[in-house]
């Protein structure tokens, strides 16, 4: 036992003690609270799972968008590959967060749900079997003591009333002795009243003391029985608290990605890709494909060829044109296996002047919302031209027209001798610049 009644109640007499009649209900309520806390934990985990899924989805969307922008942008070589490795990191981390979501829902939530079902048994009439058994046990343990307590409270009340009556009678007798109007016979009656009140008070006191003594004798047995029932409640609570601790450790293991070997591998691979970036190799590639290292057909003396005007020139398509399988129809691209698609086939004009303005990437000029790597579209109205010769398009992106047909030139001639135009039917495509003349 935990000690006497007064000791367990504490120094504060107003304390709402467990030992008071009916105060065991808080221990019973703990069963209802335990079941509700299981629901709360499952709800908590379900919300976290939604957060994990949303974060994973956002990582995937971010990676997809920026992978396209980087591949389309001007960055090239091994540094581009290292940059793209950051997108790969996001995709793999997204997968891990999706795994966290699945573990929370499929393992942790299910584990709590199954334990809750085994630990709390609902009754047809409502409530839980465990709570009902505890309440019945407490009622049975408390009933004899509560009966004695009620008797003692009644005896105490009777005694206190008798004390009050005795004091009133004594006060009347004292007043009667000082008042001349009170006759000796009346004084005698007042004195007899005081004696009777004293006798009644003594009897009430004896009954009160006897009732209190019986209650005190009953108290140890009462405390023992109540503690037995309480210990049964504690045993159930031990199981709940132990399970909750184990469940939280499982949750921590699922949430802590630093303990996941795959997580560490992702960042080792990212570091390897970044450290693998080779500045000199990238510079060499750019020089060979867009700089002094490029091959050049230097001007040489050529004899006049009357058929030369009728033959279409070698063609290199402007940016954005679909690739063609014809090797003699397209300028050979450089060897750039890991470089972005942006400007892979871009034609760098040999003509320049001081009047040309450099391309800017200001967010203001792009409307503040566009990425600086996104292609600009030509918005010119075009120039009307007339065909000098018949031309049959050799590929899907080329126009077909007859001599004398009129069309609109929408892009100027490139260094390969090709223009982009639009037929009156609305079809757009490429055609040899020397096959038309301005109208």
């Amino acid at each position: 036992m935990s000690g006497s009644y007064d000791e367990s109640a504490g120094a504060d007499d107003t304390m709402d003690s467990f030992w008071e009649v009916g105060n065991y209900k808080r221990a019973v309520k703990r069963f209802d609270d335990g079941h509700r806390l299981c629901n709360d934990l499952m709800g908590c985990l379900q919300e976290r799972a939604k957060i994990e899924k949303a974060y994973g989805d956002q990582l995937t969307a971010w990676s997809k968008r920026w992978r396209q922008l980087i591949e389309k942008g001007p960055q090239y070589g091994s540094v581009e590959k290292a940059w793209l490795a950051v997108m790969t990191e996001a995709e793999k981390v997204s997968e891990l967060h999706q795994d966290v979501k699945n573990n929370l829902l499929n393992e942790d939530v299910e584990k709590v749900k199954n334990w809750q079902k085994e630990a709390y048994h609902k009754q047809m009439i409502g409530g839980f079997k465990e709570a009902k058994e505890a309440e019945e046990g407490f009622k049975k343990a408390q009933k004899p003591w509560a009966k004695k307590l009620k008797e003692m409270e009644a005896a105490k009340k009777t005694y206190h009333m008798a004390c009050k009556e005795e004091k009133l009678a004594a006060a009347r007798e004292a007043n009667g002795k000082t008042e001349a109007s009170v006759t000796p016979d009346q004084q005698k009656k007042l004195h007899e009243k005081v004696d009777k009140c004293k006798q009644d008070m003594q009897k009430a006191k004896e009954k009160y003391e006897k009732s209190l003594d019986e209650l005190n004798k009953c108290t140890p047995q009462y405390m023992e029985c109540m503690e037995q029932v309480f210990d049964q409640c504690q045993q159930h609570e031990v199981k709940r608290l132990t399970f909750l601790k184990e469940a939280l450790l499982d949750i921590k293991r699922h949430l802590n990605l630093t303990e996941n070997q795959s997580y560490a591998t992702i960042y080792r691979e990212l570091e390897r890709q970044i450290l693998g970036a080779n500045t000199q190799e990238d510079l060499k590639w750019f020089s060979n494909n867009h700089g002094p290292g490029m091959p050049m057909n230097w001007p040489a003396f050529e004899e006049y060829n009357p058929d030369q005007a009728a033959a279409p020139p070698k063609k290199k398509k402007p940016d954005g044109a679909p690739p063609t399988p014809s090797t003699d129809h397209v300028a050979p691209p450089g060897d750039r296996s890991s470089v972005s698609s942006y400007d892979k086939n871009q034609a760098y004009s040999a003509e320049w002047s001081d009047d040309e303005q450099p391309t800017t990437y200001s967010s203001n000029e792009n409307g503040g919302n566009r990425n600086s790597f996104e292609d600009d579209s030509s918005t010119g109205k075009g120039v009307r031209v007339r065909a000098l010769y018949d031309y049959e398009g050799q590929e899907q992106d080329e126009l077909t027209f007859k001599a004398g047909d009129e069309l609109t030139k929408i892009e100027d001639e490139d260094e390969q001798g090709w223009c982009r135009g639009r037929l009156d039917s609305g079809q757009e495509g490429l055609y040899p610049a020397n096959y038309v003349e301005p109208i």
Side-chain angles (χ1 to χ4, degrees), residues 4 19 25 55 110 172 182 213 216 225 234 254 298 312-313 344 359 370 381 403:
S4 69
W19 301 105
K25 291 186 181 296
Y55 179 56
E110 287 299 315
R172 291 192 194 103
V182 178
D213 185 56
N216 288 334
C225 293
Q234 290 288 77
H254 291 147
W298 297 103
K344 282 186 178 179
T359 303
R370 289 184 50 200
K381 295 182 178 180

Side-chain angles (χ1 to χ4, degrees), residues 4-17:
S4 69
Y5 172 78
D6 289 337
E7 291 173 346
S8 64
D12 187 357
D13 292 336
T14 63
M15 181 177 178
D16 192 14
S17 172

